[in-house]
Amino acid sequence: MLADLYPGFESRLVETRAGRIFARVGGRGSPVLLLHGYPQTHVMWHRVAPALAGEHTLVVADLPGYGESDAPEAAADHSPYTKRAMAAAMVELMEQLEHRRFAVVGHDRGGRVGYRLALDYPDRATCLAVLDIVPTWEMWHSMDAARAMKVFHWTFLAQPYPLPEMLIGKAPLEYMEWKMLAWNGAHTNTVFDPRALEHYRTSFAQPARLHATCEDYRAGQSTDVAIDEADVRAGRRIECPVLALWGARGIPVAGESPLTVWKRWARHVDGWAIDSGHFLAEENPPDTVAALLPFLRDHLAPST
């Protein structure tokens, strides 16, 4: 049996247009939606959740296709794994939990869902914190040799079915753990709680979830970047306050300053590097909490 890393939190399974979404819910105060990245699950927030839950009601969700959420078949546009579809599912989740307005904190793929939610639902997001990403459009349009080597999985996972599924499926856990080792600042998976690693292994080893994660990246290469392109052309920007945090040895440092990039996408942005690799919330929880709590306090959503 997998360890419970959220003692005292409820488990909820909520029906949405993207299938059933699983979330852990706990804490008290203004609502905050926490969204994980690839190749992880909601468990990635377990080291920062206790501190955040002292001031906020946390909804710690699994994205569609990840963790314990449903992994439905993808449509031709790769929905429900487009960030627009995932954002809509998160809005449905929060509404069914009686949170109409809420803060969003997203790491990696969860950050991409978060900024899409802030753009598509400006009346829902009170503020947005993004961890170790720049927008998808920016990634594809700045894909020079250095960045391509760092994020080769973007082009690999976006290859048509079944190539990445077939190759990763031969050794899914070895692939997952190698990626996590390569992305963390110490280049050792001892930075992760062994109990959390078991959660990640259990999810990633399932063929349906491996396929869903590839659909997530296929959406990123096609539908997601097209949706971002429409916003760029229309001059649309994120209206709510944005906090951009990234690892000093993280993924977005191979290029233009992430803060400079986010200032093109949002009207009110602050941000800085954390002493970490890609996985800020697990590699350096004290500094991650120290950055998030004041930001969330300054932009409280109504508590319910």
Side-chain angles (χ1 to χ4, degrees), residues 121-203:
Y121 301 92
D123 60 329
R124 300 303 182 101
T126 59
C127 62
L128 168 67
V130 288
L131 276 58
D132 213 54
I133 68 160
V134 294
T136 301
W137 187 92
E138 298 279 354
M139 287 290 288
W140 284 111
H141 284 78
S142 62
M143 196 68 77
D144 59 12
R147 177 156 279 172
M149 290 299 291
K150 199 171 186 73
V151 296
F152 77 89
H153 63 289
W154 276 52
T155 54
F156 171 55
L157 297 175
Q159 293 297 313
Y161 174 83
L163 180 64
E165 289 93 337
M166 177 178 65
L167 296 179
I168 298 171
K170 304 295 184 184
L173 299 187
E174 291 84 351
Y175 171 85
M176 182 203 80
E177 293 186 34
W178 183 83
K179 293 300 289 181
M180 293 178 68
L181 182 147
W183 290 343
N184 76 68
H187 301 301
T188 169
N189 283 345
T190 60
V191 301
F192 302 105
D193 187 315
R195 301 169 300 169
L197 283 173
E198 280 305 304
H199 278 268
Y200 307 148
R201 291 181 186 117
T202 299
S203 176

Side-chain angles (χ1 to χ4, degrees), residues 38-76:
Y38 175 91
Q40 299 181 291
T41 72
H42 75 279
V43 169
M44 62 150 286
W45 299 106
H46 73 102
R47 286 178 169 162
V48 301
L52 298 181
E55 299 186 20
H56 302 281
T57 298
L58 303 183
V59 179
V60 195
D62 280 329
L63 295 172
Y66 289 82
E68 298 181 55
S69 291
D70 282 349
E73 281 299 311

Side-chain angles (χ1 to χ4, degrees), residues 12-93:
R12 300 293 299 268
L13 197 60
V14 174
E15 291 281 354
T16 74
R17 283 169 287 181
R20 294 173 301 173
I21 298 299
F22 177 82
R24 299 301 300 269
V25 181
R28 58 184 301 173
S30 64
V32 178
L33 173 64
L34 298 177
L35 300 176
H36 66 87
Y38 175 91
Q40 299 181 291
T41 72
H42 75 279
V43 169
M44 62 150 286
W45 299 106
H46 73 102
R47 286 178 169 162
V48 301
L52 298 181
E55 299 186 20
H56 302 281
T57 298
L58 303 183
V59 179
V60 195
D62 280 329
L63 295 172
Y66 289 82
E68 298 181 55
S69 291
D70 282 349
E73 281 299 311
D77 70 348
H78 306 291
S79 291
Y81 304 107
T82 67
K83 306 312 155 293
R84 174 161 282 169
M86 288 188 178
M90 293 304 114
V91 168
E92 287 186 73
L93 166 69

Side-chain angles (χ1 to χ4, degrees), residues 196-247:
L197 283 173
E198 280 305 304
H199 278 268
Y200 307 148
R201 291 181 186 117
T202 299
S203 176
F204 199 79
Q206 298 174 40
R209 301 196 181 284
L210 171 57
H211 175 59
T213 63
C214 293
E215 287 296 317
D216 178 358
Y217 279 85
R218 290 178 183 123
Q221 186 274 331
S222 57
T223 309
D224 291 346
V225 76
I227 291 170
D228 278 7
E229 177 75 31
D231 286 332
V232 170
R233 290 183 179 277
R236 294 183 65 220
R237 299 171 76 191
I238 298 167
E239 299 293 339
C240 71
V242 173
L243 176 66
L245 302 174
W246 62 92

